[in-house]
């Protein structure tokens, strides 16, 4: 049984994350999507809200489990009998951070390999933070996040009817 941990903040889940999970599950028997519990970082959604969102949005992907973790990622991976950490890599700007994290994790536990998938071209310029910022100022984020996330963000920002729609074809930049 090949298990990978797909760790992250997922604040919120984006279509870029879902793309990585759908492609990752072709490489692993099981992917545990693990939300980092980080009280030091201010988040839009609580861990419980994120678990609910991920559970709903990923329910149709066989082999995916949702969980949260605190402390060192490699310790959590070992506890879950996972031998791989799955990460998506976007533009070059991600490289340094990801490289540093992968090497630190390798130093902490050499039995756990970090596997990178290149983010789909459509999602190269998206991130949870930039999507939140666009939505906060009333920008259209449809097509970048699942409809449930779009709805939950609109509710958080006091705009339950959703944001202004852009004239872009879905997912186009
Ligand atoms: O979605 P993010 O915020 O880029 O995810 C970062 C995450 C959760 C993968 C990273 O912060 C992490 O693994 N934190 C756990 C603490 C840890 O193990 N740190 C040492 C390795 S750098």
């Amino acid at each position: 049984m090949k298990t990978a941990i797909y760790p992250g903040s997922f604040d919120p889940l984006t279509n870029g994350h879902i793309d990585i999970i759908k492609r990752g599950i072709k490489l692993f028997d099981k992917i545990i999507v693990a939300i980092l519990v980080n009280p030091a970082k201010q988040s839009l959604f609580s861990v419980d809200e994120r678990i609910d969102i991920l559970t709903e949005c990923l329910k149709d992907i066989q082999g995916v489990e949702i969980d949260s973790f605190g402390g060192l990622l490699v310790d959590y991976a070992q506890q879950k009998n996972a031998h791989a950490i799955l990460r998506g890599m976007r533009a070059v700007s991600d490289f340094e951070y990801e490289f540093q994290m992968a090497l630190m994790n390798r130093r902490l536990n050499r039995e756990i390999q970090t596997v990178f998938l290149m983010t789909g071209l459509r999602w190269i310029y998206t991130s949870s933070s930039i999507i939140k910022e666009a939505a906060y100022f009333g920008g259209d984020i449809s097509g970048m996040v699942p409809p449930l996330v779009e709805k939950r963000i609109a509710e958080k920002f006091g705009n339950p009817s959703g944001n202004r729609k852009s004239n872009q074809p879905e997912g186009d930049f």
Side-chain angles (χ1 to χ4, degrees):
M1 181 91 170
K2 289 198 176 71
T3 302
I5 306 292
Y6 181 46
S9 306
F10 304 106
D11 187 41
L13 176 74
T14 69
N15 285 345
H17 294 133
I18 297 178
D19 176 54
I20 296 291
I21 295 164
K22 282 185 173 165
R23 287 159 54 212
I25 203 63
K26 293 179 181 160
L27 302 174
F28 298 100
D29 301 305
K30 181 160 99 177
I31 292 181
I32 303 173
V33 183
I35 303 166
L36 173 69
V37 179
N38 184 359
K41 195 171 162 187
Q42 212 184 342
S43 59
L44 179 61
F45 292 99
S46 69
V47 171
D48 285 346
E49 287 173 320
R50 281 178 272 167
I51 289 179
D52 279 356
I53 290 173
L54 267 71
T55 305
E56 177 58 29
C57 296
L58 303 174
K59 67 177 191 297
D60 295 331
I61 312 175
Q62 288 293 310
V64 171
E65 264 181 43
I66 318 299
D67 197 10
S68 60
F69 76 104
L72 280 182
L73 175 59
V74 288
D75 291 348
Y76 172 74
Q78 194 166 36
Q79 182 198 321
K80 291 286 174 184
N81 279 322
H83 296 280
I85 293 166
L86 176 65
R87 292 286 288 172
M89 181 88 79
R90 289 168 300 189
V92 184
S93 50
D94 276 349
F95 183 79
E96 211 166 322
Y97 170 60
E98 294 296 338
F99 190 58
Q100 200 177 24
M101 235 175 9
L103 288 183
M104 176 56 89
N105 284 331
R106 185 165 149 76
R107 190 189 155 91
L108 294 170
N109 187 331
R110 294 187 79 78
E111 300 306 313
I112 297 171
Q113 309 302 328
T114 302
V115 174
F116 291 103
L117 286 180
M118 289 308 298
T119 293
L121 196 58
R122 284 177 74 179
W123 318 116
I124 283 269
Y125 294 107
T126 59
S127 69
S128 296
S129 334
I130 207 152
I131 286 171
K132 273 186 288 193
E133 186 172 318
Y136 179 77
F137 290 113
D140 178 14
I141 56 162
S142 58
M144 296 185 216
V145 292
L148 175 65
V149 172
E150 195 185 346
K151 182 168 168 275
R152 292 284 163 85
I153 288 186
E155 287 164 2
K156 285 270 178 199
F157 292 152
N159 178 15
S161 58
N163 288 300
R164 185 184 69 234
K165 295 292 166 203
S166 80
N167 54 4
Q168 293 290 327
E170 190 179 301
D172 200 1
F173 283 90

